[in-house]
Amino acid sequence: MIPLFLSSCNEDDLKKAAKISAKKVTLTRDRSLRVDITFSDSAVVKAKGYAPVLDQVNPSEGSKYQEMPGGVKITFFDPLQKVTGTITSDYAIRKETEGITIFKKNVVVVREDLTFNTEELTWDERKKKYFSPRGIVTRPDGTILNAVNFSAPEDFSSVDFEQGSGETFVKGDLTP
């Protein structure tokens, strides 16, 4: 015995489909490969970024954006050009009009004093802050924190989060 499935759509469904298909948005996409970007302020290099693929997307409606489907790595420098940290992710999108960059999939922030792992991290250029709904902060001493509503200033000099939980290690003798 073979099961038989039947499906139908009424006239209203066909009208809805026609309206949706009539709204066509065209995109122009300019693709660049092996892109190196240098960010500087007053002739001082602040960061260098690398993306294997960078798509500049210009939709006929809406704001243009840059997409990095092959991931991105950003290296940060202090004024003496010493590396202070990195951000890597498997995907990123920069929305120019909103002034935000969203890093997604296997996002890792590494600094001397912490490593932050998450699936999504947003950089707000105007506020000069990073935000993430959740992630894991690991410190060199072995402390591991599960962070909810994570935020950090642009240089990751401090971190804030809510509802943190995790493991930490205490040095010294704890006997009374």
Side-chain angles (χ1 to χ4, degrees):
M1 184 174 219
I2 300 173
L4 179 64
F5 298 99
L6 299 173
S7 169
S8 69
C9 35
N10 61 33
E11 198 172 310
D12 287 340
D13 291 337
L14 292 174
K15 287 178 184 175
K16 288 178 187 175
K19 287 180 184 176
I20 291 171
S21 67
K23 292 185 176 182
K24 294 181 182 178
V25 175
T26 57
L27 301 173
T28 58
R29 182 179 299 258
D30 296 320
R31 177 163 279 188
S32 299
L33 302 175
R34 295 177 296 281
V35 176
D36 286 306
I37 300 170
T38 301
F39 304 93
S40 63
D41 183 15
S42 303
V44 175
V45 174
K46 298 270 191 173
K48 289 184 180 181
Y50 172 77
V53 177
L54 176 72
D55 291 334
Q56 177 68 42
V57 182
N58 298 303
S60 60
E61 293 181 20
S63 302
K64 63 183 178 176
Y65 57 92
Q66 296 172 330
E67 189 173 35
M68 291 145 271
V72 66
K73 178 176 182 176
I74 300 174
T75 304
F76 298 94
F77 300 94
D78 69 9
L80 301 174
Q81 297 307 289
K82 178 184 173 227
V83 173
T84 59
T86 61
I87 295 178
T88 57
S89 69
D90 291 346
Y91 171 86
I93 185 168
R94 180 173 180 264
K95 299 179 180 183
E96 292 181 37
T97 306
E98 290 98 351
I100 62 169
T101 301
I102 302 169
F103 303 92
K104 290 187 176 189
K105 299 178 188 167
N106 299 313
V107 182
V108 181
V109 176
V110 177
R111 288 189 37 95
E112 188 176 300
D113 59 340
L114 70 85
T115 300
F116 180 65
N117 294 278
T118 186
E119 286 301 305
E120 183 174 320
L121 180 69
T122 301
W123 175 44
D124 187 319
E125 295 174 34
R126 293 180 184 120
K127 293 180 182 178
K128 297 186 181 217
K129 287 190 92 165
Y130 288 92
F131 301 94
S132 179
R134 65 183 38 85
I136 298 172
V137 176
T138 307
R139 300 271 184 189
D141 68 357
T143 298
I144 299 171
L145 300 168
N146 295 306
V148 176
N149 294 327
F150 174 91
S151 67
E154 198 169 49
D155 63 358
F156 274 89
S157 58
S158 64
V159 296
D160 293 315
F161 53 88
E162 299 171 4
Q163 303 171 2
S165 64
E167 297 178 17
T168 189
F169 297 93
V170 179
K171 293 181 183 179
D173 186 9
L174 296 178
T175 57

